[in-house]
Amino acid sequence: MAEHDATIERDAERDATTERDVEREAVAGRAASPKGGGEAVALVARGLEVKREGRVVLSNVDVSVRRGELLAVLGPNGAGKSTLLRALAGLLPSTGELVLDGRALRTLTDVERARSIAFVPQRSGLVSPFAAAEVVAQGRYARGGASPRSEEVRAALARVGASAFAERAFTTLSVGEQQRVLLARALATDAKVLVLDEPTAPLDVGQALATFALLRSLAAEGRALVAAVHGLDDARRFADRVLVLENGRMRAEGVPHEVVADPLLRPLYGVSLREDAAPRFDRVGDDASERAGDDARDESSLRRTDREGSA
Amino acid sequence: MDVAPHDRAARSVKLYLGLFVLAALVALSSMTVGAGSLADEGLRETLLSLRGARLAASFLAGAALAVGGVVVQGLLRNPLASPSILGTTAGAALGGQLVLLALPFVALPVRSEMAVPIGCLLGALLSLLALLTLLRHTNDAVTLLLTGFVLSSLFLALGSFVTSLAQNDWELGRAVVAFSLGGVSSAGTDHVLFALPLVIAGIGASFGWGKALDLLLSGEEEARSLGVDVPRLRWWSAVWVATLVAAAVSLGGNVSFVGLVVPHVLRPFAGWSHRRLVPAAALGGGIFLAACDVITRAIPSHGEIPLGVVTGLVGAPLFLFLLLRQRRAELLRG
C-alpha cells in the first residue's frame, strides 16, 4: 500500500514538473507534449490582473490552454468571467504574463492577434442590417478580407448550420441565429484559439447542445477553446478542464469531475449540487470511429436546430 | 431588409444609373439657370465659365460633406451624426475666419487662397478631436447631439466675435461676412483646383478605410478583436473628415445637413457597407448641393438666397424625423 502511495506521489510530482515544463516551453515558443498526447500550449496567462477605474477586478489568475482542449470558466455572476475572457483575448488592458503561441500577446499588432485568437461576444453590438454572410466575411479582415460569397465564408456558415439565413439581415435574426453567425465569423478568422463569452447563454437546450458538440469537434481539430459557461452540468459534460472564479480570483482549476463538485461550488452558488455524474463527453483522442460517429450526430443535431431556428 | 446578392447587384446598377442621370440633369440646369441669358453671345462665354466653376464648387463641396457624413456616422455608430450637427463645419468656418482676420497682420508663407482652407482644416480637425475626446466613453445619441450642439454653439459664438472684430476694417469685414454667409457664388476656378485634390484624397481615403469602418459598426471591442487598430482608425478618419469638411467650407461656407440627408437617402439603395456607400454618397452629395445651388438661383428674390438656407430647409425637418424615429426605436427596444 505504501509502495502504491509512493507511486502516486511520484506520478503527481512528475505531472507537476511536466506542467511547469509545458508553460516554460510555451513561453519559449516550442510545442510541448505534456502527456504524450501531442498537445501544445496555445495560450498561457500567469498572474493576470485587470484594474478598472483603479479597482482590481481580476487578480492573480493563471490560465493555460492547450490545443485540442476546451477550458470552461465557471463562476457566479460578477465573478469576473467576461473580464478574464476579454483580458485573455487581448481586448482589455491587463498586467501579468500573457503568451499566445509562444509570443507575448501584448506585443502583437491588432492584425497579428486577430489571426491567432478569435473572440466571440455574448451579443454583438452590430445595429446595422448587414447580411449574415457579410458579418461572417468580416472575420477575414485580418487576412486581407473576403467576399461574402467566398469559399471560406460559405464553409464557416455551413459549419454552424447558418447557410439557410446567410442572406438575411443580421439584425432580423433570432438571438440564437445571431450567436451562430458570430461563431461562424470566429471560424472564418482561421484562428487556432477561440475565446467565447457564454456562447450558449441565449440558446435553448437543443441549440446549446449542438453548440457544445460543435465546440468539441473544433477542439478535436486542434483548436484551443476557452468558454465562459453558465451551466455546471455543461461544464462537467463538455469541458476538458474547468476554472472557477470568485470575486475576480481563481477559486479552483482542474478536471471537471473534481472541480464541479458540491464541496467546492456550494459556497459559491449557495445551492447544493447533486453528485450523480452526468454522462461524460468523449475526450479528445478517443477512438477515431467513435468521434466520427459523434461528429455525425453533432452535424445532424445542428441541422435539426437550423431548421427550427429558421422556421 | 434582406437582399440577395443578385438583387443587390441589380440595385447598385439602378442606383448608379439614376445618380448619373440626375447628375446630368443638375449639371444642365446649373449651366442654364440664373441671371443672364446664354442666348446673349457676348455674355455666353463668361456665364458658362462662372456657372461651370460654381457647378464644380457646389458638386465638390456636396460630395465632400456627404462622404464626411458617412464617415462620422460610421465612426460614431450613429446615423444622426453629420459634420454640421457635430460642430465640425462650424469649427472649420471659425478656422477660415481666424485666418481671414490674421491675413492683414501676419505674413503667411502661403497664398491667401490656400491660407483659408488650411485654417478650415485646422479648425475642423480641432473640433473633431475635441468631440471624439469628449465622447470617448459614450455612444449615447443624446450625449452625442448635445456635445455637437455645444461645440457648434461655441464655434459659432467665436465666429461672431471674429466677425465683429473684423468690422473695424471695411474690406476685411466684408470678406469675413461673405465667408460666414457661405455659398458658392464667388467660387472661382482657383478655389476649385485647390479643393479638388483634397476632396479626391478624402473620398479615396474614406473608401480605403471602409472595411474597418464596417467592423466598427459592431463596436470598438469587436472591431479590435477582428484586427482593427481602432485608435489609428479614429485618428485617420478624423483627419480625412476634417480634410473633406475644410475643402467644402472653403468652397461653400458653413452649409448644413448635407452629410446627414445624403447618406440617409442613399442607404436603402446602397446598403450600410462603407465601400458601397462612399462612392454613392460622393455622387449623391454632389448632385444634392448642386441642385440646392440651382434652387438658390431659381427662386425669385432680391439677390440670391444663401445656399445654407436651402440645405437647412430640407435638412432640418429630415433631421427631426430621424431623431424621433431613433428615439422611438430606442423606446421600443426598452
Side-chain angles (χ1 to χ4, degrees), chain B residues 260-295:
Chain B
L260 178 81
V261 172
V262 176
H264 174 72
V265 169
L266 289 173
R267 270 201 192 92
F269 307 99
W272 283 77
S273 156
H274 286 82
R275 289 267 170 110
R276 284 198 295 271
L277 196 54
V278 164
L283 261 176
I287 292 165
F288 176 70
L289 203 59
C292 287
D293 183 46
V294 174
I295 292 170

Side-chain angles (χ1 to χ4, degrees), chain B residues 135-195:
Chain B
L135 293 175
R136 245 178 36 199
H137 301 296
T138 178
N139 187 43
D140 172 57
V142 175
T143 313
L144 170 76
L145 298 177
L146 285 177
T147 311
F149 172 74
V150 169
L151 287 177
S152 196
S153 303
L154 175 69
F155 296 138
L156 287 173
L158 289 171
S160 299
F161 179 58
V162 170
T163 308
S164 69
L165 285 180
Q167 301 310 310
N168 294 331
D169 182 299
W170 169 250
E171 280 301 316
L172 181 62
R174 270 198 62 195
V176 172
V177 168
F179 178 77
S180 306
L181 281 175
V184 288
S185 55
S186 58
T189 315
D190 277 2
H191 296 97
V192 171
L193 288 178
F194 182 78

